[in-house]
Amino acid sequence: MKRTILKEIANKLKESKTALLYPHVVLDGDTLGSSIALCVALRKLGKTAHILIEDEIPSYLRFLDLNNDYCTYDQHIIDEPDLSIAIDCSDIKRLPLRREKFLSGKSSINLDHHKTNQLFADINYIDEDASATSEIIFNLVKLMDVKLDSEIAEGIYTAIITDTGNFQYTNTTKTTHLIAAELFDIGIDMEKISIEIYQKVRIEQIKISGEIFGNMEMLFNGKANIAFVNQEMLKKTGALMEETEGVISTLRNIIGVEISAFLKEKHNNEIKVGLRSKTYGDVSVIAQKFGGGGHQKAAGCTLNTTIEEAKKLITAEIIAHLEEAEKRVKKTEKQHKI
Amino acid sequence: MKRTILKEIANKLKESKTALLYPHVVLDGDTLGSSIALCVALRKLGKTAHILIEDEIPSYLRFLDLNNDYCTYDQHIIDEPDLSIAIDCSDIKRLPLRREKFLSGKSSINLDHHKTNQLFADINYIDEDASATSEIIFNLVKLMDVKLDSEIAEGIYTAIITDTGNFQYTNTTKTTHLIAAELFDIGIDMEKISIEIYQKVRIEQIKISGEIFGNMEMLFNGKANIAFVNQEMLKKTGALMEETEGVISTLRNIIGVEISAFLKEKHNNEIKVGLRSKTYGDVSVIAQKFGGGGHQKAAGCTLNTTIEEAKKLITAEIIAHLEEAEKRVKKTEKQHKI
């Protein structure tokens, strides 16, 4: 069934002449790597295809489009494209400055792996079992009868490793590894990718981590923790906000911690909250209470308030969630006794 | 050819009645995971098999032998075993307290993937292309006609992820991913393994990292760096030496750094040095100058001196190595011009 729909999408792509690809705002490895892979594949079929972005490409992903061959901010690059294709984008709200443009395509497609996807396009293909949207792109490109080359393979590989924490998160499957094996066969410069993504840490990043962990608070008998970064801390250390990306994983990796929250002060009264759980917690529930979304173990939301206030609000929800979870566990234990 | 030798080894194992397995001292994921996998396989064939160790199992690997079913310190557990099997052990010196016992086996086998292996056994099977010794064990167990179960699969998987930095280091190959896919099929509790190995960080570990990076020195225009941990720092933070395991990777991950050194003061006048390179540096050369060994990108040695003196000696060798490498590059560039 899934495969039939994907084949239909492949045919639609083959029939089109022009396509604009829409990665979600706040570019990450999956949304950008998947977009690059699909854009290269479309061009190999002779289509006019571009990736329309609205924010800066983070430095660790610059290598994917080093010569600005694919990504553009120019909304007039194609005026009325045959296809608008959203990639790894759970909600049309994640195309804030590109929403109208997206809707102006003659037809729209939505390729994603988030279970919270809002199905906002004409054709929506959501595969929750895919570790990354790039697993979908991998199959789609094959169904388009495009021979995968190194550039496509590196886009797909980058997407997989960033979304699975290098095959470490539990979204990793047998299929993920089989795809990786095929990508190795096609030829990827794994050393380059690894250096670009993981081995270009600035000393400022090490300094900001020190600041953040110095202020970390443990909650609920060590079952949760919360930390933050504000503009002042960035100024003091010379670090960039994007350099705090790994903090949330480290918070969650602390022994005994089930839920972690990391608050970023983007601007005054704009606090971006990242949430993670280790096993039984469902942080998508917490994020949804503040209008956000995500997966069970990784979710996020934005609060228009101060860091202090946001900390209080998030802390309260985390504790309520953990109390609820513990009650459930006790109830189950009691039932087992009976 | 390789396969023929491995088949011969499989037959030898099947013909034996008793075997003692020897992981190298300073247990890590590959040596222990591989040993567990082979020990389980031997017992499935009805053999008497044990893993003889001489140092403590690090806490992140305790889950592999939670009930002490396989590992033992008792050298008399089998008095004259048919087979002594060294696993992931490049040199018999890495069995310091077990050397005599190893040599007392009626026959000895050496299974390893280090190119520096000293070929100290009756049968030596060294596969430099294997990302971990456990890739060899994976094939060996199959040739023994043992059906892989979850316990064997988890041993092999643990070994692979610890030796490849979760499929990130360049020793990772297509084969590594194909093996991982098969292990997923057999059934591994990836969430458990991931939590045990990566998500049991103590707060003390975060504190010791702060101390270590606070004292880090950059060398040779930022192309190298060196850091250390001494007993005083451990005492101050309450951290354990094994909790500094990840430091060397972080040192190497800093932008522009080609070679990193991390010095651990094990005791007074016993400094264990870890070395890493990013692309062209060959740290095994540096390690060998101090009687150590390893791979091009990961090597180590031990110096019987103070931290201060060891820092000076290692710094000098790193700078000499980088100067040499730069001369080589310039020479090549000149030749290209001609």
Side-chain angles (χ1 to χ4, degrees):
Chain A
M1 178 58 189
K2 266 187 184 171
R3 197 151 181 90
T4 317
I5 302 172
L6 204 58
K7 182 71 196 161
E8 276 171 32
I9 294 174
N11 290 338
K12 217 169 159 61
L13 293 174
K14 285 167 86 170
E15 286 157 15
S16 73
K17 285 203 178 70
T18 55
L20 274 185
L21 278 52
Y22 292 76
H24 65 68
V25 75
V26 188
L27 292 164
D28 65 18
D30 189 14
T31 200
L32 189 61
S34 294
S35 297
I36 297 276
L38 185 57
C39 193
V40 174
L42 285 166
R43 289 191 188 176
K44 282 189 121 183
L45 290 176
K47 316 296 178 191
T48 300
H50 298 277
I51 301 166
L52 192 60
I53 58 173
E54 62 183 82
D55 55 346
E56 212 181 327
I57 299 176
S59 63
Y60 73 98
L61 296 173
R62 277 299 323 160
F63 75 98
L64 285 172
D65 189 18
L66 209 52
N67 303 316
N68 302 308
D69 291 325
Y70 305 107
C71 294
T72 179
Y73 295 96
D74 177 10
Q75 299 215 357
H76 295 292
I77 196 149
I78 309 174
D79 266 330
E80 276 188 14
D82 294 338
L83 290 175
S84 289
I85 311 173
I87 291 171
D88 194 45
C89 182
S90 58
D91 194 318
I92 198 165
K93 286 183 193 152
R94 304 205 71 192
L95 312 172
L97 303 176
R98 292 166 293 163
R99 185 194 172 107
E100 292 314 310
K101 183 71 189 176
F102 180 82
L103 296 172
S104 78
K106 289 176 195 149
S107 179
S108 64
I109 299 173
N110 173 6
L111 304 169
D112 190 22
H113 71 130
H114 294 92
K115 69 171 178 182
T116 53
N117 192 290
Q118 298 297 309
L119 314 176
F120 52 85
D122 299 330
I123 306 176
N124 301 285
Y125 182 87
I126 317 302
D127 183 358
E128 294 170 23
D129 297 330
S131 70
T133 295
S134 79
E135 286 196 16
I136 303 167
I137 305 295
F138 175 82
N139 291 315
L140 180 60
V141 170
K142 286 187 162 185
L143 290 170
M144 287 159 68
D145 300 313
V146 171
K147 194 172 154 24
L148 274 74
D149 62 15
S150 289
E151 204 173 8
I152 296 175
E154 290 185 356
I156 292 170
Y157 182 75
T158 300
I160 287 178
I161 63 170
T162 51
D163 252 29
T164 61
N166 257 294
F167 309 94
Q168 191 197 325
Y169 306 151
T170 47
N171 57 351
T172 309
T173 64
K174 179 189 172 185
T175 307
T176 316
H177 282 292
L178 288 176
I179 292 176
E182 268 197 67
L183 299 176
F184 269 72
D185 232 9
I186 292 158
I188 51 172
D189 189 342
M190 192 201 157
E191 182 170 9
K192 175 190 76 185
I193 297 174
S194 197
I195 289 174
E196 291 293 339
I197 298 185
Y198 303 109
Q199 301 182 32
K200 288 203 165 177
V201 176
R202 295 194 313 143
I203 293 177
E204 290 80 356
Q205 183 168 357
I206 291 174
K207 285 186 190 158
I208 192 77
S209 292
E211 290 281 320
I212 292 165
F213 287 103
N215 293 326
M216 173 186 73
E217 286 172 45
M218 300 301 289
L219 310 169
F220 203 68
N221 296 324
K223 283 179 189 149
N225 54 11
I226 191 162
F228 68 93
V229 59
N230 60 25
Q231 291 297 326
E232 199 189 320
M233 289 155 77
L234 293 177
K235 212 170 154 185
K236 181 180 160 191
T237 55
L240 304 168
M241 188 61 94
E242 68 185 65
E243 292 177 322
T244 65
E245 220 44 64
V247 168
I248 185 78
S249 298
T250 311
L251 284 172
R252 196 247 319 259
N253 288 350
I254 292 175
I255 191 163
V257 169
E258 174 57 28
I259 294 185
S260 295
F262 181 50
L263 282 58
K264 296 176 187 173
E265 185 191 46
K266 304 287 266 190
H267 307 282
N268 256 338
N269 289 318
E270 189 188 333
I271 313 297
K272 208 173 166 288
V273 183
L275 294 158
R276 294 289 183 280
S277 71
K278 196 174 270 172
T279 53
Y280 56 87
D282 185 350
V283 287
S284 72
V285 174
I286 300 173
Q288 278 163 24
K289 294 215 168 154
F290 300 101
H295 309 275
Q296 185 228 319
K297 290 187 181 166
C301 56
T302 300
L303 273 73
N304 293 113
T305 179
T306 60
I307 279 275
E308 289 68 32
E309 193 55 34
K311 266 175 69 179
K312 276 185 210 155
L313 291 167
I314 296 289
T315 297
E317 285 301 334
I318 290 174
I319 290 175
H321 188 81
L322 286 173
E323 276 173 348
E324 195 60 42
E326 293 205 345
K327 258 189 230 157
R328 258 201 318 276
V329 171
K330 273 182 195 150
K331 209 173 156 187
T332 317
E333 280 172 1
K334 215 172 158 187
Q335 282 170 340
H336 278 291
K337 269 188 190 165
I338 296 162
Chain B
M1 180 54 191
K2 266 187 184 172
R3 201 155 178 86
T4 317
I5 301 173
L6 204 58
K7 183 69 196 161
E8 275 171 32
I9 293 174
N11 290 337
K12 215 168 161 61
L13 293 174
K14 284 167 85 171
E15 287 159 14
S16 74
K17 285 203 178 73
T18 55
L20 273 184
L21 278 53
Y22 292 77
H24 64 69
V25 74
V26 188
L27 292 165
D28 65 19
D30 189 16
T31 200
L32 190 60
S34 294
S35 297
I36 296 276
L38 186 56
C39 193
V40 173
L42 285 166
R43 290 192 188 175
K44 282 188 120 183
L45 290 176
K47 315 296 178 192
T48 300
H50 298 276
I51 301 166
L52 191 60
I53 59 174
E54 63 184 83
D55 54 346
E56 214 182 327
I57 299 175
S59 64
Y60 73 98
L61 296 174
R62 276 300 319 162
F63 76 98
L64 286 171
D65 189 19
L66 210 51
N67 303 317
N68 303 307
D69 290 325
Y70 305 108
C71 294
T72 179
Y73 295 96
D74 178 10
Q75 300 215 357
H76 294 291
I77 197 149
I78 309 175
D79 266 329
E80 275 188 14
D82 293 339
L83 291 174
S84 289
I85 310 172
I87 291 172
D88 193 46
C89 182
S90 57
D91 194 317
I92 198 165
K93 285 183 193 153
R94 302 205 72 193
L95 312 172
L97 303 178
R98 293 166 292 163
R99 186 195 171 108
E100 292 313 310
K101 182 71 188 176
F102 179 84
L103 296 172
S104 78
K106 288 176 197 150
S107 179
S108 64
I109 299 173
N110 173 7
L111 303 169
D112 190 22
H113 70 130
H114 294 90
K115 71 171 176 181
T116 53
N117 192 290
Q118 298 297 310
L119 314 176
F120 52 87
D122 298 331
I123 306 175
N124 301 284
Y125 183 86
I126 317 303
D127 183 358
E128 294 171 23
D129 297 329
S131 70
T133 295
S134 78
E135 288 196 14
I136 302 167
I137 304 294
F138 176 83
N139 291 316
L140 180 60
V141 170
K142 286 185 160 185
L143 290 170
M144 286 159 69
D145 301 312
V146 171
K147 194 171 155 20
L148 272 74
D149 61 16
S150 289
E151 203 173 9
I152 295 175
E154 291 185 355
I156 293 170
Y157 182 75
T158 300
I160 287 179
I161 63 172
T162 50
D163 251 30
T164 62
N166 256 292
F167 308 95
Q168 190 198 325
Y169 306 150
T170 47
N171 57 350
T172 309
T173 65
K174 180 189 171 186
T175 306
T176 315
H177 282 292
L178 288 176
I179 292 175
E182 269 197 66
L183 299 177
F184 269 72
D185 233 10
I186 293 159
I188 50 173
D189 188 342
M190 194 200 156
E191 183 171 9
K192 175 191 76 182
I193 297 174
S194 200
I195 290 175
E196 292 291 338
I197 297 185
Y198 303 110
Q199 301 182 32
K200 288 205 164 175
V201 176
R202 295 193 315 142
I203 294 177
E204 289 81 357
Q205 182 168 1
I206 291 173
K207 286 185 191 159
I208 193 78
S209 292
E211 290 280 320
I212 292 166
F213 287 103
N215 292 326
M216 173 186 71
E217 286 172 45
M218 301 300 289
L219 310 169
F220 203 66
N221 297 322
K223 284 180 189 148
N225 54 11
I226 190 162
F228 68 93
V229 58
N230 60 25
Q231 291 298 326
E232 198 188 321
M233 290 155 77
L234 293 177
K235 210 171 156 185
K236 182 181 161 192
T237 55
L240 304 169
M241 188 59 94
E242 67 186 64
E243 291 176 322
T244 65
E245 218 47 61
V247 167
I248 186 78
S249 299
T250 311
L251 285 171
R252 195 250 318 260
N253 288 350
I254 292 174
I255 192 164
V257 169
E258 175 56 30
I259 294 185
S260 295
F262 182 50
L263 282 57
K264 297 176 187 171
E265 185 192 45
K266 303 288 263 193
H267 307 282
N268 256 339
N269 289 319
E270 189 187 332
I271 313 298
K272 210 176 163 286
V273 183
L275 294 158
R276 295 289 183 278
S277 71
K278 197 175 266 169
T279 54
Y280 56 87
D282 185 349
V283 286
S284 73
V285 173
I286 300 174
Q288 277 163 22
K289 294 213 168 156
F290 300 101
H295 309 277
Q296 185 227 319
K297 289 185 181 167
C301 55
T302 300
L303 273 72
N304 293 113
T305 178
T306 61
I307 278 276
E308 291 68 32
E309 192 56 32
K311 267 176 69 180
K312 275 185 210 156
L313 292 167
I314 296 290
T315 298
E317 285 301 332
I318 289 174
I319 291 175
H321 187 80
L322 286 171
E323 275 173 348
E324 194 60 42
E326 294 204 345
K327 258 188 230 158
R328 258 200 318 275
V329 172
K330 274 182 195 150
K331 207 173 158 189
T332 316
E333 280 172 2
K334 215 171 159 189
Q335 282 170 340
H336 278 291
K337 270 188 190 165
I338 296 161

